[in-house]
């Protein structure tokens, strides 16, 4: 999981540890699972890019997507990555179109995994409303145009990601994109 802030990062860790077991993080709930190197994932990893470690000397990731882009491409190159889970936060203090900013990186990441004959599921959600300058409906449409599975909440996105992870580990067909799978 690659999050722009701590709240959704913590929520995801809480859900995942109950469903999958230990979750590693740059800002872990359980300090025993603190990443030694926040740039190196291990097993199930959730990153809070809004943490001071990532924001010193640069704008917050809700505005500046460079760190998120780098991390998505890094994770896409990891043969153990099955899911990249993320948030998109809109509002007055966010990028003018965060979903549009992410689409090219998602496409590039898909090329990496396809070249390696792997599939990566991109699962996310948008936090905001149609009254926000970026417009919730517009941001969702942009993500869906890049074949992102867009959930209605972070908790739903996390459960869908868990479904993919568990399916990949058992070899059964996944239905992460199904509206009934939450």
């Amino acid at each position: 999981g690659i999050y722009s802030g701590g709240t959704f990062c913590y929520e995801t860790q809480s859900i995942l540890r109950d469903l999958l077991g230990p979750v590693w993080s740059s800002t872990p709930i359980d300090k025993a699972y603190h990443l030694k190197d926040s740039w190196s994932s291990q097993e199930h990893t959730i990153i809070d890019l809004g943490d001071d470690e990532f924001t010193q000397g640069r704008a917050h990731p809700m505005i500046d997507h460079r760190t998120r882009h780098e991390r998505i491409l890094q994770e896409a190159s990891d043969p153990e990555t099955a899911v990249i889970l993320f948030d998109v936060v809109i509002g007055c203090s966010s990028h003018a179109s965060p979903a549009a900013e992410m689409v090219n990186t998602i496409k590039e990441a898909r090329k990496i995994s396809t070249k390696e004959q792997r599939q990566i599921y991109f699962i996310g959600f948008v936090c905001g409303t149609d009254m926000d300058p970026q417009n919730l409906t517009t941001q969702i449409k942009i993500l869906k145009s890049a074949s992102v599975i867009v959930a209605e909440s972070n908790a739903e996105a996390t459960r869908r990601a868990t479904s993919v992870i568990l399916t990949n580990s058992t070899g059964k067909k996944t239905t992460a994109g199904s509206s009934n799978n939450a």
Side-chain angles (χ1 to χ4, degrees):
I2 304 171
Y3 285 90
S4 59
T7 302
F8 295 128
C9 179
Y10 291 139
E11 179 183 41
T12 296
Q13 288 179 64
S14 179
I15 294 168
L16 286 181
R17 75 175 176 191
D18 290 343
L19 298 173
L20 298 175
V23 179
W24 294 88
S25 182
S26 57
T27 54
I29 292 173
D30 182 342
K31 300 301 179 197
Y33 296 101
H34 189 273
L35 291 169
K36 288 180 176 83
D37 175 2
S38 295
W39 286 98
S40 238
S41 294
Q42 56 189 90
E43 299 170 3
H44 306 299
T45 297
I46 309 298
I47 300 296
D48 171 7
L49 293 176
D51 188 58
D52 290 347
E53 174 181 6
F54 296 103
T55 58
Q56 290 186 7
R58 61 174 54 188
H60 192 277
M62 288 172 39
I63 300 165
D64 182 350
H65 285 246
R66 287 177 296 165
T67 305
R68 184 177 283 209
H69 294 311
E70 292 167 10
R71 192 57 181 253
I72 287 172
L73 296 176
Q74 175 185 330
E75 297 301 334
S77 298
D78 182 343
E80 293 189 12
T81 299
V83 177
I84 295 179
L85 179 63
F86 62 91
D87 62 345
V88 172
V89 180
I90 60 176
C92 292
S93 297
S94 292
H95 188 280
S97 182
E101 183 73 10
M102 292 181 70
V103 166
N104 288 333
T105 303
I106 290 169
K107 289 178 181 177
E108 191 175 340
R110 285 191 196 281
K111 287 179 186 176
I112 291 168
S113 64
T114 300
K115 184 178 176 183
E116 297 173 1
Q117 299 179 338
R118 297 181 297 113
Q119 180 176 7
I120 295 177
Y121 291 84
F122 286 87
I123 303 175
F125 79 101
V126 182
C127 178
T129 72
D130 282 334
M131 300 297 289
D132 286 312
Q134 303 88 343
N135 187 279
L136 174 69
T137 302
T138 299
Q139 296 303 300
I140 290 170
K141 285 180 185 177
I142 292 168
L143 291 172
K144 286 184 174 183
S145 75
S147 299
V148 171
I149 298 166
V150 181
E152 291 186 20
S153 69
N154 184 49
E156 179 187 343
T158 302
R159 288 190 296 272
R160 286 183 178 202
T162 302
S163 175
V164 171
I165 292 164
L166 293 173
T167 300
N168 280 349
S169 68
T170 63
K172 294 180 184 174
K173 185 177 180 187
T174 184
T175 58
S178 168
S179 60
N180 296 326
N181 185 26

